[in-house]
Amino acid sequence: MKITSVDFAGAGAQPGTYPKLPHPEIAFAGRSNVGKSSLINRLLDCKIARTSTTPGRTRQLNFFVVNHELTFVDLPGYGYAQVSKQERGQWQQLIEDYLIRSQNLRGVVIIVDIRRGPEDEEQALREFLSYHQRPFLFVATKCDKLKRSQLEQQRKALTTRLDGRPLLLFSAQDGSGKAELWRAMLALASGQPPLLRHPDVSYA
């Protein structure tokens, strides 16, 4: 995917206050310390999503228009940020409202750390998306942290935990998995099942 333009199109901090955009949307969800912003920046070849050594900096829905034809939606991280229980509840309400009501949402990228895999929050999100018939795929980040033998072993273990759903591997550090993830996302954005040669997409 050749990136010719990336524009910040606005944000939403309250349910229903999202930018009105005409493009298909791909949302990114994950715990606050899985490298979600780094993944987005690597995909877009620019540092547009905010990264920080302190997890939980994204506290609203941020919308980025790519090539004037696709919108990335960066959802607030969850599970790790040191914020109040009340604020975490507000984030959850904001995320769920968007995931249910967005008319342009075509799929959700659920991001996990390859060393830990899906935890309770990811399993709950998976069930939520399945219930609302929203397509999603799982991506494991920080794959550069493991040796090749460890990586394949962990991938197999996590795939089992995901009931056989494929897991796409990604590294924001060296860009491995970038082309595969783009192909999967463009398939989601088109509203059509991905080509069989790209099996890393799971539909609800």
Side-chain angles (χ1 to χ4, degrees):
M1 178 69 174
K2 183 178 180 180
I3 306 300
T4 58
S5 66
V6 180
D7 300 296
F8 176 66
Q14 299 293 331
T17 62
Y18 322 121
K20 304 300 183 183
L21 302 168
H23 318 293
E25 296 171 0
I26 299 295
F28 296 81
R31 296 171 67 86
S32 301
N33 57 345
V34 297
K36 176 165 55 68
S37 295
S38 296
L39 178 147
I40 292 173
N41 290 337
R42 170 63 76 167
L43 287 172
L44 298 178
D45 297 322
C46 66
K47 295 184 178 180
I48 194 167
R50 184 178 181 181
T51 61
S52 172
T53 55
T54 303
R57 290 298 189 183
T58 303
R59 302 190 177 190
Q60 57 190 9
L61 276 65
N62 292 315
F63 292 73
F64 306 102
V65 175
V66 183
N67 293 355
H68 304 290
E69 61 185 36
L70 177 67
T71 301
F72 278 14
V73 184
D74 186 6
L75 305 179
Y78 52 81
Y80 183 89
Q82 296 181 358
V83 297
S84 68
K85 184 176 181 180
Q86 179 181 3
E87 189 168 5
R88 286 198 300 271
Q90 292 173 344
W91 291 0
Q92 181 178 353
Q93 183 181 18
L94 177 66
I95 293 171
E96 290 182 355
D97 180 81
Y98 166 75
L99 294 177
I100 293 172
R101 299 181 184 279
S102 173
Q103 296 182 355
N104 291 331
L105 180 63
R106 298 293 181 266
V108 180
V109 177
I110 304 176
I111 305 166
V112 300
D113 188 320
I114 186 65
R115 297 165 295 181
R116 294 196 306 272
E119 301 182 60
D120 291 344
E121 289 88 351
E122 287 80 24
Q123 297 291 6
L125 177 58
R126 170 185 170 182
E127 294 175 4
F128 179 88
L129 293 171
S130 295
Y131 178 81
H132 291 285
Q133 299 183 329
R134 293 296 198 181
F136 60 90
L137 60 92
F138 277 96
V139 176
T141 59
K142 305 188 179 182
C143 292
D144 53 281
K145 303 293 185 182
L146 299 180
K147 296 179 180 179
R148 181 177 293 274
S149 59
Q150 296 174 315
L151 190 61
E152 185 57 30
Q153 183 178 17
Q154 186 68 353
R155 178 175 186 166
K156 290 180 179 179
L158 296 185
T159 299
T160 299
R161 286 171 56 184
L162 293 171
D163 301 323
R165 287 179 176 271
L167 181 71
L168 194 153
L169 304 183
F170 188 92
S171 170
Q173 184 69 28
D174 60 27
S176 60
K178 177 181 175 180
E180 292 82 0
L181 180 53
W182 262 116
R183 284 193 290 265
M185 292 189 305
L186 291 175
L188 288 174
S190 71
Q192 300 295 324
L195 298 175
L196 296 178
R197 61 193 175 95
H198 308 309
D200 293 290
V201 176
S202 298
Y203 271 75

